[in-house]
Amino acid sequence: MILAGCSGATSTSSGASAGPLEKTNIVVDAFPAIDSAGLFIAEQEGLFKQQGLNVTIDLAVTSQAAIDGQLKGTYDITSADYVTYVDNVLLDKAPLRIIDESSFLQPNVLTLLVKSDSSVTSVQQLRHRVVSVNAPDDIGTLLIDSLLTDHGVPLSSVTFNNNVAFPSVGQDLAMGKVAAAFAPEPFVSLDEMNAGTQELADLDQGGTTDFPIQGVAVTASWARANPNTLAAFQRAYAQGQQIADTDRRAVEAAVEKFLGLPPLAAALISLPSYPTGVDSVRLQRLVDAMVRFGLLGKQYTDFKVSTIIDNANS
């Protein structure tokens, strides 16, 4: 892949020539997790500037908050979890288009945590217990549903405590508010270091092995109005993803800067895979799982995720 690096006439991601950028100042709202490392690297190493872009990265409280701001025009581009994107497109008719992938699962990146002296030592013991997630019916809910099903635990026997912010997970576990908590890196490593939490289950297993987690999206109208800017962003972003997937030290430096991680925590975190472009087959697994576990109704059984992927990447 040849990735051009200038702001004038350049090649788009599909190889066609492009004209001047429609916008040079863009704002990206990203969920503050290691899944966004490719984005952080592209900014930190000046890859966006090489494309003539001045990119401001804001950190979202939740994926939904990022998308809400995007639909209001506050943000040009968002990086959020796929479940929330699909929910917004299908249930709320939001005109979103996925333009790039951010991450897919690898071991110990997304987990269920318990406190150090917890009586819960197996997934089967989550029956009639409370489990926390960051937001209702998001990627955490989907992954836990799959885990419970693989271990023969009825979904109706587990209660979800929604809207538990990841920085609060260790405290909630210690106080006994929840029996187990969904947490992504870097919070997994931080809680293990600071609160003595332990991993009950790795969510990269069974039906969700190598599962797609986070992507990048724009609105359809933004893509139409800014094709050259979008292509320039995608070129720089692809470079950032390639670095993230091959250079762990670059990831550590990026998350130290953007997520405020201490060097020791950055050195310990487990990393996902950082793909380039969009693999529609991989993303279709997510939609199919959403239907299977009731996050989407049966009327969406035949929905093809390729219909909401930007044409340049399909």
Side-chain angles (χ1 to χ4, degrees):
M1 181 182 294
I2 299 175
L3 300 169
C6 55
S7 60
T10 62
S11 63
T12 67
S13 56
S14 62
S17 62
L21 303 182
E22 298 84 7
K23 294 187 70 173
T24 56
N25 298 314
I26 62 176
V27 181
V28 181
D29 201 32
F31 189 76
I34 59 170
D35 306 86
S36 302
L39 173 71
F40 299 153
I41 289 170
E43 171 59 21
Q44 187 168 11
E45 299 200 5
L47 303 178
F48 290 126
K49 288 190 181 298
Q50 291 175 21
Q51 297 292 333
L53 296 172
N54 299 311
V55 174
T56 299
I57 298 175
D58 288 346
L59 298 181
V61 176
T62 65
S63 290
Q64 188 58 58
I67 294 169
D68 289 343
Q70 182 173 36
L71 296 176
K72 294 176 182 177
T74 304
Y75 309 116
D76 298 285
I77 298 173
T78 56
S79 184
D81 77 81
Y82 291 118
V83 171
T84 307
Y85 279 137
V86 172
D87 275 345
N88 276 262
V89 170
L90 294 185
L91 305 183
D92 299 326
K93 309 305 179 184
L96 297 171
R97 296 294 180 268
I98 296 170
I99 60 169
D100 279 298
E101 291 194 59
S102 295
S103 63
F104 64 85
L105 267 184
Q106 293 293 282
N108 303 308
V109 173
L110 296 177
T111 72
L112 272 184
L113 298 179
V114 295
K115 63 181 181 178
S116 59
D117 58 349
S118 176
S119 61
V120 177
T121 58
S122 70
V123 174
Q124 287 82 0
Q125 290 177 305
L126 291 175
R127 291 171 183 259
H128 312 300
R129 306 273 188 156
V130 178
V131 177
S132 71
V133 291
N134 182 242
D137 294 335
D138 71 349
I139 185 66
T141 308
L142 179 61
L143 293 172
I144 295 169
D145 283 351
S146 179
L147 177 75
L148 296 173
T149 300
D150 287 346
H151 286 78
V153 179
L155 303 185
S156 59
S157 71
V158 177
T159 301
F160 284 104
N161 184 353
N162 300 317
N163 302 311
V164 175
F166 292 132
S168 302
V169 161
Q171 180 180 2
D172 281 13
L173 287 171
M175 296 176 64
K177 291 183 178 180
V178 296
F182 168 67
E185 287 284 23
F187 299 99
V188 175
S189 294
L190 287 172
D191 284 335
E192 288 174 346
M193 289 174 56
N194 300 327
T197 58
Q198 297 179 344
E199 183 179 302
L200 176 67
D202 179 11
L203 295 172
D204 179 48
Q205 62 172 280
T208 55
T209 302
D210 296 339
F211 206 66
I213 299 301
Q214 186 168 308
V216 182
V218 297
T219 63
S221 61
W222 195 95
R224 287 193 300 269
N226 302 282
N228 299 332
T229 297
L230 176 56
F233 176 89
Q234 289 175 299
R235 287 192 294 272
Y237 184 81
Q239 289 178 302
Q241 289 287 99
Q242 289 174 335
I243 293 171
D245 210 43
T246 56
D247 186 349
R248 181 185 173 93
R249 186 66 195 99
V251 175
E252 291 179 14
V255 297
E256 286 173 23
K257 175 182 177 181
F258 285 90
L259 301 183
L261 288 189
L264 178 58
L268 293 175
I269 57 175
S270 300
L271 301 181
S273 287
Y274 298 99
T276 57
V278 184
D279 184 336
S280 62
V281 175
R282 181 160 50 227
L283 295 196
Q284 190 64 47
R285 289 179 59 203
L286 175 130
V287 176
D288 294 345
M290 291 178 69
V291 173
R292 178 187 177 192
F293 295 113
L295 276 68
L296 289 175
K298 296 296 184 183
Q299 66 269 34
Y300 297 109
T301 298
D302 296 326
F303 172 74
K304 301 302 180 185
V305 74
S306 58
T307 60
I308 62 170
I309 294 174
D310 179 74
N311 289 333
N313 286 310
S314 58

